[in-house]
Amino acid sequence: MILSSCFFACCSESERLNLFSCLLFCSCFVFASFCKLPVEMALEGGWGWMVVAGAFIINALTLGASRCQSVYVLPIIREFHANHMSATVVSSLQILGMATAGVFSIPMMRKFGHRTSIFIGGLIGFVACFLSSYIYSLPLFVVVFGGIVGFGFGISFIVSPVVIGNYFYKRRSLATNIASIGGSFGTLIITPTAAYMIEEFSFRGYIMIYAAINLNLLVAGALLRPAPSANNTLEVDDGNFEEDQQNVQSDQTQLTESKDKKDRGINVVIKDKLFWIFASTTAFFFAGAITNILFLLPYAENEIRIPKLKAPLIVSSQAGTEIISRIIYGFLGDVKRIDRVYLLAASYFAQFFFSIMVPFTKTFAGLLAVRTFNGLFEGANGGLSIIIFADIVGIEHYGSAFGIGLFIKGLIGLALPICAGRAVDVTGKESTALWMSSIIMFIGAFGTLVSARLMQIRRNENGSNSTSGSVKLAETSSSNQ
């Protein structure tokens, strides 16, 4: 409101009218998000698609921006007179900040709710990002722009897929992947825009502008209203009062048991060995992919001599095809005949193949083609890998599993970029980091393939146990007769 008042005081009449229209439009969305809808109008569609739209914006401003770190590497080196290892610490701490938020967001969502958690995360990201534009000490800049901004982004990022999972079941993969397109869209827009703004307004000027843009997280978070529960709309028929009263009591008992299960959610996730295997292997692949894209633009500018404003188009081309890929993987993930984990492992191996081709590519056209084809398989990295956590531990423990999984990614993602930056300082070639990241991506892809096999064994065992239980029940009923 303060910023709006200052703008009203110093702008023309037409600009005031435009600002008023935008504020009215946003207010309508916020007001609508607090209105109640019948359950049948909200679940599997309805307001659920508005939740997807809000999550789209959140992913664009958090995940999309975090994948543009390669644009910041060389400006940080020039601004603070640092080496590659010091510059990559910013990206590593931002990943760790998002991962740490995964642990804190679990009790925060239960204590304050989904929307309030997003508001808190958005405000933390805005304040930290704005203050970092006035910091001239590299260690302090690393902590504020890296760790604290990442922590705020992480809180907002983690909440959105949890809310989507509560709104959708049959189309959960499609809805989650549509929301994850926001990350690709953000990368597509922010990467060239950031390069232009840094060149035009300086690195610190860009950070200040980006801090103001992050306030849109508050508007997007208002759309993520918690999913209504059918248990809250129970109606009692006067004709059969006693039976319906028993049903109501039974439903209340189920709600209490469900709450107790959620309280034990972290313990259930921690004891699941398959969860730890899957979370660790996907974390290795995540760290390799982040490091690969982190050193992509420095490699293009320093070793291939591609101009500063032209190099970001390589990342944007990958993000463009990634948008199409996420829609395709969204549909494939909902097909019952297709195993999601095997589909994810196949996409990981394809991305490893294209990533290892990057150090061999020495032209702008070649890099553009390789990263464009790589984007066709990156659609599995967002929505598909996230909803597999629900397949492993169940939807009731989805939030806990996602938060812990993100924390594991942060720990591994913290070390690899720093080690790769140190290797670049020793060898003097960014291609060294590309080789290292490709090897880590292969380890993650192979581990995900192992996870797919273990999950298939678990399903077969559960299926055989349920079949044997049905046979025993049938034999007992026949003997009683």
Side-chain angles (χ1 to χ4, degrees), residues 3 5 59 63 65 76 85 127 138 146 176 206 220 252 287 330 377 387 395 422-424 431 448 458 461 464:
L3 294 176
S5 301
N59 284 328
L63 184 62
I76 291 175
M85 186 179 72
V127 173
L138 180 59
T176 306
Y206 162 74
Q252 291 176 347
F377 300 94
I387 60 175
I395 189 63
R422 178 58 180 168
V424 171
S431 56
T448 305
R458 172 187 284 188
E461 291 177 351
S464 62

Side-chain angles (χ1 to χ4, degrees), residues 249-267:
Q249 293 176 352
S250 175
D251 289 325
Q252 291 176 347
T253 303
Q254 292 178 2
L255 283 174
T256 304
E257 292 177 353
S258 177
K259 184 177 181 181
D260 294 338
K261 288 182 180 178
K262 287 184 179 180
D263 293 336
R264 300 193 301 267
I266 297 180
N267 294 329

Side-chain angles (χ1 to χ4, degrees), residues 303-323:
E303 293 195 29
I304 306 181
R305 303 299 178 184
I306 298 176
K308 294 180 182 179
L309 296 180
K310 192 176 181 180
L313 296 178
I314 300 171
V315 179
S316 296
S317 65
Q318 173 180 322
T321 53
E322 187 180 329
I323 293 175

Side-chain angles (χ1 to χ4, degrees), residues 19-184:
L19 178 61
F20 178 76
S21 301
C22 293
L23 291 175
L24 181 62
F25 181 73
C26 295
S27 300
C28 291
F29 270 108
V30 175
F31 176 77
S33 67
F34 286 91
C35 298
K36 293 184 178 180
L37 293 175
V39 176
E40 62 273 8
M41 293 178 60
L43 300 180
E44 290 296 335
W47 190 263
W49 294 116
M50 297 301 297
V51 173
V52 172
F56 181 96
I57 300 173
I58 293 173
N59 284 328
L61 296 176
T62 56
L63 184 62
S66 65
R67 295 173 57 193
C68 301
Q69 296 290 324
S70 57
V71 181
Y72 307 151
V73 174
L74 295 181
I76 291 175
I77 292 175
R78 291 190 294 264
E79 185 73 25
F80 295 96
H81 306 287
N83 53 25
H84 285 81
M85 186 179 72
S86 300
T88 54
V89 173
V90 177
S91 175
S92 298
L93 273 188
Q94 191 165 109
I95 296 172
L96 181 63
M98 295 183 69
T100 307
V103 178
F104 284 93
S105 63
I106 299 171
M108 187 178 295
M109 283 188 287
R110 295 176 181 173
K111 179 69 175 179
F112 303 108
H114 299 98
R115 281 181 295 195
T116 305
S117 300
I118 295 177
F119 294 161
I120 295 173
L123 288 175
I124 292 175
F126 162 72
V127 173
C129 193
F130 183 80
L131 291 178
S132 62
S133 63
Y134 292 96
I135 297 175
Y136 291 86
S137 172
L138 180 59
L140 185 58
F141 180 83
V142 166
V143 173
V144 177
F145 189 71
I148 300 179
V149 171
F151 182 79
F153 284 176
I155 294 175
S156 302
F157 169 70
I158 291 170
V159 174
S160 55
V162 177
V163 181
I164 292 175
N166 294 331
Y167 269 91
F168 293 90
Y169 176 75
K170 295 180 181 179
R171 291 176 285 187
R172 183 179 298 159
S173 175
L174 177 61
T176 306
N177 274 275
I178 291 176
S180 68
I181 290 175
S184 305

